[in-house]
Amino acid sequence: MAAIFAQGLAKHFTPEIKAVDGIDLAIEPGQIFGFLGANGSGKTTTVRMLTTLLRPTAGRAEVSGLDVENHAGQVRASIGVALQEAGLDDIQTGRELLTLSARLYRVPSSQMKARVDELLRIVDLEESADRALKTYSGGMQRRLDLAAALVHRPTVVFLDEPTTGLDPISRDAIWRYVGELNRTEGVTFFLTTQYLEEADRLADEVAIMAAGKIVAQGSPAELKASIGTDVVSLRIGSDEDLTRASDAVRRFEGIEDVRVVDDAVICYVRDGSSAIAALVLLLDGANIRPREVTLSQPTLDDVFLRKTGHHMEADAAADAKVRKSS
Ligand SMILES: Nc1ncnc2c1ncn2[C@@H]1O[C@H](COP(=O)(O)OP(=O)(O)O)[C@@H](O)[C@H]1O
Ligand SMILES: [Mg+2]
């Protein structure tokens, strides 16, 4: 039985706003599943449907074999959730918040203290446990959110953008705790992120969302291999040269796909190292000298780029800036 299952799952807020537009999921127990997508692609709406907070307009979903509409109460009792807008109460301490969360989830009082202490230790908050939450950094708050979602030993945990806006070290820390809880308690994690690169390193399976649809799904290695090419990136000086350059490289017989992103022409080719010379020669024939030529293996961003025609990372960076300054 899948830990999380969805078939044709959809949420149309209006006929125009198809936030989630028919997605299928089958996530095995014990996996760390990365649900990737830019702002507005439908990640939170999906999480809200899977966690019974929002009714689907079409399709169905199950968590641990329980239908999210017909068995909403049972689903809620068996899952842990940390949503994006967590709204922590400032004057509470970390320990108080976890204890409150344990009460809400009806953790037996005989087990409460031990479970709270254990989670504080796992997310490295023992020393700050009795400080007010307003003194916590963003990373500490997210770690506490994570702990709070786990007090009642749920089998499936949903984390909505647990790392957005955090610095890279704090982001890695969150993934490390997720990994530890996954190993030690067998928890299945469904976590959303805008950072393709961290999901690439840390998730077992990922799905990439764009405009309410899943455009790619599988293990990061499978997805990257599915592209089946190397990536040659040619940075070009001026805008009009950019168009001419992308026309020129299309004449290369080994070319699989070409994308223009910012000031670069991205070429997907079978054998990158032998293609470089031919590509530069074609540019030379059009009187264009690239400012920089790089050869790389595909990343998840390349998967995203090939499926959707644009990069995703810029959004996440912009979002991080907004959060920092607010
Ligand atoms: N309650 C709502 N009413 C109308 N539109 C909504 C509502 N919630 C989300 N949307 C829209 O649905 C789309 C997907 O949003 P969301 O699921 O929050 O995306 P993500 O979490 O990937 O940023 C967006 O266009 C958003 O504006
Ligand atoms: Mg969201």
Side-chain angles (χ1 to χ4, degrees):
M1 180 182 63
I4 300 168
F5 172 83
Q7 194 172 46
L9 189 67
K11 180 72 195 182
H12 296 179
F13 285 108
T14 68
E16 292 81 39
I17 306 178
K18 297 174 178 163
V20 177
D21 199 15
I23 63 169
D24 298 332
L25 294 167
I27 300 169
E28 295 301 312
Q31 279 199 339
I32 299 176
F33 188 83
F35 200 57
L36 314 181
N39 263 331
S41 58
K43 302 181 301 295
T44 297
T45 304
T46 302
V47 168
R48 292 178 66 207
M49 287 191 284
L50 293 174
T51 56
T52 80
L53 301 173
L54 191 66
R55 271 185 111 75
T57 26
R60 64 192 188 92
E62 289 173 5
V63 175
S64 305
L66 298 162
D67 187 281
V68 295
E69 289 190 88
N70 301 333
H71 299 280
Q74 273 173 281
V75 169
R76 260 177 251 163
S78 71
I79 62 176
V81 187
L83 292 177
Q84 238 169 325
E85 64 292 340
L88 296 178
D89 183 355
D90 277 3
I91 53 168
Q92 269 191 327
T93 67
R95 189 188 305 279
E96 283 165 355
L97 182 119
L98 287 191
T99 307
L100 177 67
S101 189
R103 283 213 189 90
L104 290 174
Y105 277 116
R106 295 163 203 265
V107 174
S109 47
S110 60
Q111 296 165 23
M112 214 176 280
K113 186 176 181 311
R115 182 58 173 162
V116 167
D117 287 344
E118 180 180 32
L119 285 168
L120 286 168
R121 184 177 47 68
I122 291 174
V123 299
D124 282 328
L125 285 175
E126 281 168 305
E127 284 177 15
S128 0
D130 298 306
R131 273 169 38 192
L133 296 182
K134 63 180 174 214
T135 68
Y136 280 29
S137 68
M140 289 162 76
Q141 293 189 8
R142 300 298 174 83
R143 275 142 62 191
L144 192 67
D145 290 344
L146 172 62
L150 282 142
V151 283
H152 54 305
R153 298 188 184 278
T155 50
V156 181
V157 170
F158 295 85
L159 307 173
D160 196 12
E161 299 206 26
T163 59
T164 297
L166 299 182
D167 61 86
I169 293 172
S170 306
R171 281 159 51 187
D172 274 353
I174 295 281
W175 281 92
R176 202 166 58 243
Y177 304 127
V178 164
E180 183 176 342
L181 287 155
N182 171 258
R183 278 190 305 278
T184 57
E185 305 195 356
V187 180
T188 305
F189 280 95
F190 183 103
L191 71 85
T192 76
T193 179
Q194 303 186 31
Y195 304 110
L196 296 175
E197 174 268 337
E198 67 181 24
D200 189 349
R201 282 185 292 127
L202 300 159
D204 299 316
E205 294 267 327
V206 301
I208 300 179
M209 280 286 270
K213 290 197 156 75
I214 291 176
V215 294
Q217 189 165 3
S219 72
E222 278 165 10
L223 291 185
K224 288 182 284 182
S226 75
I227 291 192
T229 65
D230 292 335
V231 183
V232 177
S233 172
L234 306 159
R235 282 187 57 210
I236 307 294
S238 74
D239 282 355
E240 73 254 45
D241 281 355
L242 206 52
T243 318
R244 293 199 302 118
S246 78
D247 290 341
V249 296
R250 275 174 223 276
R251 273 182 249 129
F252 178 53
E253 60 186 21
I255 202 112
E256 298 272 324
D257 198 3
V258 181
R259 302 276 174 179
V260 175
V261 177
D262 299 331
D263 63 345
V265 176
I266 316 271
C267 307
Y268 295 94
V269 291
R270 286 243 172 259
D271 180 0
S273 47
S274 68
I276 284 184
L279 291 169
V280 171
L281 210 60
L282 279 168
L283 290 186
D284 196 54
N287 254 322
I288 301 166
R289 242 149 247 105
R291 300 201 314 194
E292 189 179 282
V293 179
T294 48
L295 167 65
S296 56
Q297 300 298 307
T299 62
L300 281 189
D301 197 43
D302 290 305
V303 175
F304 189 82
L305 183 60
R306 280 205 68 185
K307 299 282 182 185
T308 66
H310 52 89
H311 272 301
M312 196 178 97
E313 301 291 350
D315 271 9
D319 196 53
K321 256 185 227 138
V322 168
R323 284 193 181 221
K324 234 188 214 157
S325 61
S326 65

